[in-house]
Amino acid sequence: MIVPEALLLDFGGVVAETVKRPAWAAELAAEVHAMLERAGFGGLSVAEIETDIRAGARADSCWKDSTSRQYAPAEMTHRRFWAEFVATDWPEQARELVTVEASPLCRLMGERRRERMLRPGVKELLAACWERGVRPAVVSNALCGLVHRDFLAREGLAGQLAVQVYSDEAGVRKPNPELMHVACRALGVAPGRVWYVGDNHDRDVVCGVRAGAGATVLMRSRSTEKIPYQVRQTPHATVDDPIGLLRLLEDTWT
């Protein structure tokens, strides 16, 4: 495996593990209901809003699986998610309001939906990369990348990443190779001189291979074996965690 000039990391499953919060949809529904009432619209109950939020999230999950079969999928826009996946059958006034407020609502949804924790060894991995002149970056699918940026800033890691690229900001999502190419252009490095590390076969491994990464590494997480369908692309290496990734890097440095 090549000695990389940059290390491109997926967020969920690589930099951080996430756990779904059981009450997230009820909390978000209550906040959306309050927003609608402040605007003078009281035609939907909290329970109805929660049902549609959960339905929208489930539909979005199915949509994401389907895009993994495309070569160059575009990302879901915030406005489309709320207008077409959540508020499809809402009265026009309510649907228009959440469409206008779609970006802050997606951010709120991301904050309410999951708890995030750094995977052990991430800080050591990033520090070692800088010491060796390897620039680390995050390249990740996200309904709202600001949620990930906020988390990394709270953990004191924003300054430890040369670049952060999120699909909702770039307008394309993995396995579209363009998402990785956006990061490479920002770093001023050729795709063949980077490692790409992700935890999913159908999005991350496929993306790395399509983008021409110098090496594509699969990092195991709780979602790694949740494969919607088999893919033909295979990783150059597989590691269990960020500590294993650091050891793999160290092998190339010796």
Side-chain angles (χ1 to χ4, degrees), residues 28-39 41 44-45 48-50 52-53 77-109 143:
L28 182 59
E31 292 175 275
V32 172
H33 184 264
M35 182 189 72
L36 293 172
E37 285 202 322
R38 288 194 298 270
F41 180 79
L44 290 167
S45 69
E48 289 172 326
I49 294 170
E50 180 182 351
D52 288 341
I53 286 173
T77 66
H78 299 165
R79 292 172 68 91
R80 185 185 177 200
F81 175 77
W82 280 92
E84 298 183 15
F85 280 49
V86 177
T88 309
D89 293 311
W90 291 9
E92 183 177 358
Q93 179 185 357
R95 187 171 63 253
E96 288 181 352
L97 180 59
V98 295
T99 302
V100 169
E101 298 294 329
S103 289
L105 285 175
C106 281
R107 188 176 189 175
L108 187 62
M109 178 176 167
L143 182 61

Side-chain angles (χ1 to χ4, degrees), residues 1 7 14 195-199 204-205 215-219 235-239 245 248:
M1 293 174 66
L7 183 69
V14 174
W195 285 14
Y196 181 73
V197 186
D199 67 320
D204 298 315
V205 174
T216 299
V217 180
L218 180 71
M219 183 181 293
H236 294 88
T238 300
V239 296
L245 178 60
L248 187 64

